[in-house]
Amino acid sequence: MFRATQLSDEEKSQLILSLAEIVKKGGNGRNIVHFIEPAAVIFRWAGIPRETAQDIISKAIEGLEVPVDLESVKSYVFELYEMPNWIIKDKRAALAEIADLGGEEIAKLWQNILKIPPPLEISSRMSEFELRNLNISLSWLIPNLLPEYGVVVLAGKGGVGKSFLALHMAKCIINGGSFLKLLQCQKAAPVLIFDKENYLSILKQRLELFDPEGQSQLYFNVSMDLFLDQEDTLEVIRDEIADLRPALVIFDSWTQFLSKTNENDAIAVNNVIINLRNMAINFETCFLIIHHLRKNLAFTTEQIDELRGSSALVNSVDIVLLLRGLHDRKALITVKNRMAEPRDYAIRFGIQEGRVVYEGEELPRETEFSETAKVAKAIREYLTLQNRPVKRSELEEVLEASSATITRALQYLLAMGVVERVRQGVYRLKQTELQL
């Protein structure tokens, strides 16, 4: 997680002395780079300014019988800080290397001073005891909505306000504020938005509504040439994230960042999400994907089925949020959350004194099925029980539902291939359904 690291004189001295000890222990003519690289990588990850890192490393080497030019050392640290592909060695791997070179006590000292999570040694098989003793925990940027790291989808119809709401989330995270004046953001940290949906003039107008003075920790990339399914441009995205180390990265919108991937191709979509999940873990970053709903599935019974494209998208991500219009308000519905209990919120927003104001309140969770879904389930059960073709008029007699709801339920079951029409007004389960 990002933090602006300010080291005390005592902390600097501890780092200098411990690094000097590491170099002493190494000895045997080992290349000095072997010690400098993991230290510089950790310092960069921890948010220590390059000049401070150069000073710590140089002072650690001074006075030691090491044949090395200090200016060359500073130059090498400079190059490591500028290197776009330094993420090849992440902070946990570098910390593990420090432990190997200097011992566990020094590694723990660095971990405490620089607030770095310890390396995780996770094999393909572990016991329950090993799992319970892993030094990991779940934390949130916005409670129950945006985890500290993971992949989240925010979906809704065009014009419902997805980008606006995502911008509100971003502002709250940057300021450590309160989302909807209801949910306290856990940490103040930068946010990076990759936007292919909105013109710069629109973004500027929206930002002025949120905060006339602006925020230095909110960053935009509006390049139209970046894609999540092309390795060369994915590397550019990785480098952007590596340089800024944002808490939240927003992609607006999902399909705009797919160049060769068919959004209905489950395997291809899953591969893209796997890359995002890996980056989320490596960078300790939350990815928020803004997405659209289907336009041609009028009779869906599960809200999660309304999202466009392959179901691999919703199956692979951690949380799916759905933004709906709700009379004079909006409703933020959690249709999937593998990390916490799903919660829904009513949202009110308006302009007060030239600024956008968001407020919210928690909504009671909807029942498992919508009315259409309940009727569709009842029709399927009735057809299974009767094991024969059934007239629509018979369904209207036995089911406590309106004619319109029965129509929607039948159309959904037909579209999903669960039932078939024998003739006008007569339906039965498909034979494959009966065999199951």
Side-chain angles (χ1 to χ4, degrees):
M1 174 55 60
F2 175 89
R3 71 182 186 124
T5 303
Q6 298 295 329
L7 295 176
S8 67
D9 290 339
E10 181 181 353
E11 288 174 329
K12 288 180 183 177
S13 296
Q14 288 178 315
L15 291 172
I16 291 170
L17 292 173
S18 58
L19 183 55
E21 187 176 339
I22 289 174
V23 178
K24 285 181 183 178
K25 284 184 177 181
N28 299 325
R30 253 178 163 174
N31 193 322
I32 194 67
V33 170
H34 193 67
F35 309 98
I36 295 174
E37 183 179 4
V41 168
I42 291 175
F43 290 158
R44 177 172 174 168
W45 259 109
I48 293 177
R50 182 181 63 239
E51 293 79 7
T52 304
Q54 290 173 318
D55 184 58
I56 291 172
I57 293 173
S58 296
K59 287 182 177 178
I61 297 173
E62 285 179 349
L64 300 177
E65 295 181 0
V66 179
V68 63
D69 177 33
L70 291 181
E71 289 303 316
S72 297
V73 170
K74 291 181 179 180
S75 177
Y76 183 67
V77 174
F78 178 89
E79 291 175 2
L80 281 175
Y81 263 68
E82 296 296 316
M83 192 181 300
N85 295 323
W86 69 276
I87 191 59
I88 291 173
K89 180 182 292 181
D90 66 21
K91 59 181 174 292
R92 288 190 176 95
L95 187 64
E97 195 165 339
I98 291 294
D100 181 59
L101 294 169
E104 289 295 334
E105 287 189 12
I106 289 179
K108 288 180 180 178
L109 173 69
W110 283 42
Q111 176 193 334
N112 292 332
I113 292 176
L114 302 174
K115 309 301 182 191
I116 296 174
L120 302 178
E121 297 183 2
I122 302 176
S123 63
S124 57
R125 183 185 69 231
M126 68 178 69
S127 68
E128 178 185 350
F129 178 79
E130 290 171 323
L131 178 59
R132 285 175 178 269
N133 282 279
L134 288 177
N135 188 16
I136 52 178
S137 60
L138 177 63
S139 55
W140 298 88
L141 298 176
I142 300 178
N144 289 66
L145 296 177
L146 297 182
E148 190 172 45
Y149 60 89
V151 183
V152 180
V153 169
L154 172 61
K157 292 182 178 180
V160 75
K162 302 181 296 294
S163 299
F164 243 109
L165 186 66
L167 193 54
H168 173 52
M169 289 176 166
K171 288 287 186 177
C172 291
I173 290 171
I174 290 168
N175 297 321
S178 178
F179 178 66
L180 303 179
K181 295 186 178 179
L182 189 66
L183 303 173
Q184 181 62 43
C185 295
Q186 302 301 299
K187 295 183 180 180
V191 174
L192 173 60
I193 300 177
F194 292 93
D195 195 318
K196 289 189 180 184
E197 284 281 325
N198 302 293
Y199 295 113
L200 289 175
S201 57
I202 294 176
L203 291 175
K204 179 181 177 182
Q205 182 183 54
R206 290 177 178 177
L207 289 171
E208 289 173 347
L209 287 173
F210 274 94
D211 186 355
E213 297 180 0
Q215 293 285 341
S216 61
Q217 295 298 305
L218 178 58
Y219 300 89
F220 291 86
N221 187 317
V222 294
S223 170
M224 300 300 290
D225 300 322
L226 297 178
F227 299 94
L228 292 170
D229 57 354
Q230 290 186 9
E231 185 55 40
D232 55 344
T233 65
L234 183 60
E235 187 66 23
V236 174
I237 292 173
R238 287 194 189 103
D239 290 339
E240 282 275 274
I241 297 170
D243 286 337
L244 293 174
R245 290 179 296 117
L248 177 65
V249 178
I250 299 172
F251 291 101
D252 193 358
S253 61
W254 166 243
T255 54
Q256 296 286 349
F257 288 90
L258 303 179
S259 63
K260 56 187 178 181
T261 299
N262 184 331
E263 66 173 325
N264 296 302
D265 185 332
I267 295 177
V269 167
N270 187 59
N271 288 336
V272 174
I273 299 300
I274 287 174
N275 282 334
L276 284 180
R277 289 174 63 85
N278 288 335
M279 283 197 289
I281 295 170
N282 290 334
F283 290 107
E284 294 182 15
T285 294
C286 178
F287 290 99
L288 178 63
I289 300 170
I290 296 178
H291 192 32
H292 299 289
L293 301 184
R294 302 177 190 268
K295 294 181 179 179
N296 59 347
L297 191 59
F299 305 105
T300 179
T301 64
E302 300 283 352
Q303 294 188 98
I304 206 165
D305 293 333
E306 296 184 48
L307 276 70
R308 270 179 50 178
S310 169
S311 59
L313 175 63
V314 296
N315 292 337
S316 302
V317 301
D318 301 300
I319 297 173
V320 179
L321 306 173
L322 184 59
L323 185 62
R324 291 189 178 281
L326 183 67
H327 306 298
D328 60 335
R329 302 175 293 170
K330 310 287 185 184
L332 185 62
I333 308 298
T334 303
V335 295
K336 173 187 176 181
N337 192 334
R338 63 159 54 113
M339 295 180 166
E341 187 71 23
R343 297 182 184 276
D344 302 335
Y345 301 93
I347 300 174
R348 296 181 298 276
F349 73 99
I351 308 295
Q352 295 180 8
E353 299 180 355
R355 298 182 65 174
V356 172
V357 177
Y358 275 91
E359 295 181 348
E361 61 181 310
E362 189 168 350
L363 289 172
R365 286 287 295 174
E366 292 186 4
T367 55
E368 182 180 359
F369 295 106
S370 67
E371 188 61 31
T372 301
K374 290 178 183 177
V375 174
K377 181 173 181 288
I379 290 174
R380 182 173 178 172
E381 291 174 349
Y382 187 75
L383 291 176
T384 301
L385 181 63
Q386 297 300 316
N387 195 20
R388 60 175 173 80
V390 172
K391 293 182 178 180
R392 178 197 167 94
S393 57
E394 183 177 342
L395 293 174
E396 292 182 351
E397 288 179 6
V398 298
L399 299 177
E400 296 180 357
S402 67
S403 177
T405 302
I406 291 175
T407 297
R408 288 194 295 271
L410 285 170
Q411 289 180 323
Y412 171 77
L413 291 170
L414 287 166
M416 297 299 290
V418 176
V419 304
E420 59 187 358
R421 185 184 289 109
V422 179
R423 57 181 182 277
Q424 186 68 32
V426 180
Y427 305 89
R428 68 180 177 191
L429 282 180
K430 277 196 171 180
Q431 294 304 308
T432 53
E433 285 286 322
L434 288 172
Q435 291 168 6
L436 292 174

